[in-house]
Amino acid sequence: AHIIADLTRWIREGAIWPQDKAIGFATGEITDEQREHWAFRPLKKVNVGDGHPIDELIQAVLAAQKLEQVKLADKRTLIRRATFDLTGLPPTPAEVEALVRDNRPGAWRRVVERLLASPRYGERWGRHWLDLVRYADTAGDAGDYPIPEAYQYRNYVINAFNEDKPYDQFVREQIAGDQLPAANDDERWKQTVGTGYIAISRRIGVSPHNLKHITIEDTLNNLGKTFLGLNIGCARCHDHKFDPIPTADYYALAGIFKSTKTMESLKTIAKWHEHSFATSAQKKLKEKDDALVAAQKKVVAAFIEKANQQLLVEQNLKQLPTKPEENFPQATKDELAKLRDTLARLEANAFVLPSAMGVSEGNVTNLPVFVRGNHER
C-alpha cells in the first residue's frame, strides 16, 4: 500500500526525474536530447585503419578485452561454414575436395563467388526478410484461408537477393512500387509484385470491413519494425515516451495506407487486389486455349442434346427422366465420358495469365488523430 501511495504522489506532482525535470511525455513534446539518440543520427564514416573495416573493428574490440584471435580454420572447416552460411546446405564431397586441392591464388574467393551466384543464396537469405514481413501462404488469424498468389512476392524477394538489388530500391518497390516510374512492362510488373509486402503485412483475417483502422495499424506496426527497427504502433494512442514519434506523424502515415487499395473488397476477406500483367503473346495463348475449351463445351452440349432426343424416340417418352444420362446406352455413356475427359484436360492445361497480389492508388484521404486510438473519437 505504501508503494502505491508513493507512486500516486509522484505522478500527482508531475513525475519529476531526479534531474529535476518532467520526463516529457506529459506534454507530448519530443526533446532535442531525445532527437540526438544515436539511432536517429545520420551515418558517418569512421577511420578504422588500413585493413578490412570489419577485421579492424573486431580487432579493436578484441584488443580492448585483451583477447586474441583463434587460429585460422582449415579448408574443410572453412568451406563447410561458408556453404551452410550462404546457402543453408552442406558442401558436397566433390566441392570440399576441389578446394583442398586448389592451391592457386584466389581459390577461396572463387568458392565465395560460386556460393553467392547460387540460386540457393537468395532462398537462404530471402527467408530472413520473409520472416520480418510475416510471409505466409495463408492469411493467418482465425480464418487462415489460402492466398494463392502469395508465392509471387516470395519469389520477388528471393530474386532481389540473387540479383543484388540495391537495398534502397528494394525498400521503395515494396512500399510504393505502384507509384514508381517503369521503363517497360516487365519492370512495372516486378515493382507491383513488390507491393505484395503491404498486403502480406496485414494479418487481420476476421471481419476486416469492421476493422479498417486495425488493418492499417497492422500494416504500420510491421512497416515500423521491418524498415525502421522501431515499434511505432504505440503512437496510435499517444506520443512515444522516448522515440521521436508523435501521434500526428502516425496518423499522417495511416492516411497514406487509408488512401491505398489493398483488397478487392473489404467485405470479401479472401480477395486481395490482384494485378494481371501479360504480354501480347501470353494473351494470345490465353485466347487460343479459351477458344478450345469453349468449342469442346459446345461439342459436349450437342452430344448430350442428340443423346436425349434419341432416348425420347427409342423409349417412346414424352419427357426426359430426372437423370437422363443414367438411361443412355453404355456405348453412349462411354463416348460422353471421353468427350468430358477431353474437356477436363483442356481446362486443366489452359494457359493462366500471371497475376500477383499488390496495391494501387485508392481514394486519397487525410485521417484525423484518433484520440487514444479510438476510431470513433
Side-chain angles (χ1 to χ4, degrees):
H2 74 277
I3 294 175
I4 294 174
D6 289 344
L7 181 61
T8 302
R9 177 185 173 187
W10 179 64
I11 294 173
R12 188 186 303 118
E13 293 178 352
I16 303 300
W17 281 134
Q19 295 89 346
D20 297 323
K21 60 181 179 181
I23 59 177
F25 64 82
T27 60
E29 295 178 356
I30 296 168
T31 67
D32 291 339
E33 181 183 359
Q34 290 165 348
R35 294 183 188 280
E36 288 297 317
H37 186 275
W38 68 267
F40 307 115
R41 302 298 302 151
L43 294 175
K44 60 181 180 181
K45 290 187 176 181
V46 178
N47 184 13
V48 293
D50 299 329
H52 191 286
I54 295 177
D55 290 338
E56 294 286 344
L57 289 168
I58 292 174
Q59 285 287 2
V61 176
L62 289 175
Q65 300 293 328
K66 297 182 179 180
L67 297 172
E68 295 182 2
Q69 280 187 320
V70 297
K71 65 179 182 179
L72 293 177
D74 61 77
K75 286 185 175 181
R76 293 181 186 276
T77 303
L78 203 56
I79 190 173
R80 182 173 174 83
R81 289 176 182 171
T83 309
F84 268 116
D85 194 36
L86 293 180
T87 70
L89 300 167
T92 65
E95 290 168 346
V96 174
E97 292 305 318
L99 177 63
V100 170
R101 292 194 302 268
D102 191 349
N103 295 315
R104 297 169 298 164
W108 175 240
R109 175 177 288 275
R110 287 191 291 275
V111 168
V112 173
E113 292 295 341
R114 172 178 61 79
L115 293 172
L116 290 173
S118 167
R120 306 292 85 77
Y121 168 74
E123 294 166 4
R124 158 75 165 163
W125 285 92
R127 286 184 61 189
H128 293 294
W129 188 262
L130 293 173
D131 285 344
L132 288 175
V133 301
R134 302 187 292 188
Y135 173 82
D137 292 299
T138 59
D141 209 70
D144 204 32
Y145 44 82
I147 309 175
E149 304 299 336
Y151 78 95
Q152 295 274 21
Y153 174 76
R154 178 201 65 199
N155 291 351
Y156 162 86
V157 171
I158 292 171
N159 292 335
F161 277 81
N162 282 331
E163 295 167 3
D164 282 342
K165 181 170 290 189
Y167 180 70
D168 54 351
Q169 181 184 346
F170 185 57
V171 169
R172 288 192 194 99
E173 289 178 357
Q174 291 175 85
I175 297 178
D178 60 308
Q179 301 288 319
L180 297 176
N184 49 54
D185 287 343
D186 185 57
E187 185 177 353
R188 183 176 296 106
W189 165 249
K190 288 181 180 179
Q191 291 172 178
T192 303
V193 172
T195 66
Y197 155 72
I198 297 175
I200 283 179
S201 68
R202 170 198 176 281
R203 305 304 291 177
I204 298 295
V206 178
S207 303
H209 52 291
N210 295 326
L211 298 169
K212 295 178 184 178
H213 62 294
I214 299 297
T215 294
I216 294 172
E217 179 199 26
D218 218 31
T219 299
L220 286 177
N221 279 349
N222 187 263
L223 182 142
K225 294 174 183 177
T226 299
F227 293 98
L228 303 176
L230 288 170
N231 182 354
I232 66 176
C234 302
R236 173 185 160 212
C237 299
H238 57 76
D239 293 339
H240 266 214
K241 296 178 180 180
F242 306 111
D243 306 327
I245 305 172
T247 301
D249 282 1
Y250 177 91
Y251 284 99
L253 281 174
I256 292 173
F257 290 100
K258 175 73 172 178
S259 309
T260 302
K261 186 176 182 181
T262 304
M263 304 193 72
E264 197 66 42
S265 171
L266 284 171
K267 295 180 180 178
T268 308
I269 60 177
K271 183 65 175 174
W272 262 265
H273 185 48
E274 295 177 357
H275 297 261
S276 179
F277 287 87
T279 63
S280 57
Q282 289 173 327
K283 290 178 180 178
K284 287 180 180 178
L285 278 174
K286 175 66 173 173
E287 291 170 359
K288 179 182 177 181
D289 286 356
D290 287 349
L292 288 173
V293 170
Q296 186 64 15
K297 284 182 177 179
K298 289 181 179 180
V299 169
V300 172
F303 184 88
I304 293 174
E305 178 62 25
K306 182 179 178 181
N308 285 339
Q309 293 302 319
Q310 289 177 340
L311 184 65
L312 289 172
V313 173
E314 292 173 359
Q315 297 192 12
N316 195 24
L317 301 174
K318 293 184 178 180
Q319 66 179 29
L320 291 170
T322 305
K323 296 180 179 180
E325 292 185 21
E326 294 181 357
N327 297 280
F328 288 171
Q330 189 59 46
T332 302
K333 291 180 180 180
D334 292 343
E335 185 63 25
L336 179 57
K338 291 180 181 178
L339 293 174
R340 283 177 168 158
D341 285 345
T342 300
L343 174 59
R345 192 163 55 253
L346 289 172
E347 289 177 331
N349 296 324
F351 184 79
V352 178
L353 294 176
S355 63
M357 55 196 293
V359 304
S360 60
E361 191 78 351
N363 296 322
V364 178
T365 305
N366 284 324
L367 281 182
V369 170
F370 295 150
V371 178
R372 297 287 183 185
N374 185 343
H375 67 289
E376 295 180 348
R377 295 181 62 198

